[in-house]
Amino acid sequence: MGYLSTRALDGLKAYQYKAGGYTMLDRLHAPFLNWATSKLPLWLAPNLITLTGTLALIASYLLSAYYIPDFAGDAPRWVYLFAAAAVVFYTLLDCLDGKQARRTNSSSPLGQLFDHGCDALSVNLLLATIGCSLSIGCGWAHALGNLGVMFIWILAQWEEYHTSHMLYGNEYYGVLECNYTLALVHVVTFLLGPCFWREPVMHYLPIKQLHGWSKWLAEAVHINMWLHGEWPYAIT
């Protein structure tokens, strides 16, 4: 007995990739991505491009797991820089694989299935490494954050299943912006250390108007509150 029903196999045969929801950043990247694709050898399989990008994230994940197994504490600074480079590398290759498939006339439902499968794994890898850079620790807040992101990703795949359109954003913020935001967080951690994310916002935003706010509001904007789901220290 096969894994896929006859209906599912017929759906795969009839599948056509249709993307939308591109943002301004997507459009700004298009000339570079088109140029980079034209430089790729024709023998390079799109699935190999997808796999290479995913392997970069796996390497970053393994490094983070070795140095920060419980998502809390400090790792050598180069680990965070490697994580940022891996995110950017994966993001660019994830943009190139589809273009290479269309360029070499090798687009297929199986290739799209492989791409989505790698993306599903990559979402988990990205969430794990960002948890290490934020030094968020293991807890319900971390779990809920991961589930929230995964739920949105699953909804996007579900939407494509029913509409035959894969939306990458809302024209203002999309997948590319999200991945670059993650890379930026890694870079900030590389430069300032994980302790940066545990400091009160007031330490980095010395705005006079903020000092006039109530103590409750000042404490409410403490980064650790939303990271750990609890007050950083007692309010008196």
Side-chain angles (χ1 to χ4, degrees), residues 68 80 83 128-136 185-186 189 193-195 197:
I68 323 170
Y80 306 115
T129 53
I130 203 67
C132 291
S133 283
L134 293 173
S135 192
I136 195 173
V185 170
H186 289 308
T189 306
C195 60
W197 306 107

Side-chain angles (χ1 to χ4, degrees), residues 165-181:
H165 283 80
M166 170 58 73
L167 297 180
Y168 286 95
N170 59 6
E171 297 187 5
Y172 301 101
Y173 194 86
V175 175
L176 202 58
E177 287 81 0
C178 181
N179 286 343
Y180 280 163
T181 300

Side-chain angles (χ1 to χ4, degrees), residues 43-120:
W43 55 261
L44 185 59
N47 286 351
L48 181 58
I49 299 175
T50 305
L51 181 61
T52 302
T54 305
L55 288 175
L57 291 183
I58 291 175
S60 173
Y61 170 84
L62 292 175
L63 277 173
S64 298
Y66 177 78
Y67 285 106
I68 323 170
D70 56 358
F71 298 100
D74 293 7
R77 292 291 181 90
W78 62 268
V79 173
Y80 306 115
L81 184 61
F82 183 86
V87 173
V88 174
F89 184 70
Y90 159 78
T91 301
L92 293 178
L93 292 193
D94 192 43
C95 295
L96 292 177
D97 55 5
K99 291 181 178 295
Q100 176 72 348
R102 291 184 287 274
R103 176 186 177 223
T104 57
N105 235 359
S106 57
S107 299
S108 69
L110 180 61
Q112 183 70 0
L113 187 63
F114 180 76
D115 181 79
H116 277 3
C118 288
D119 286 343

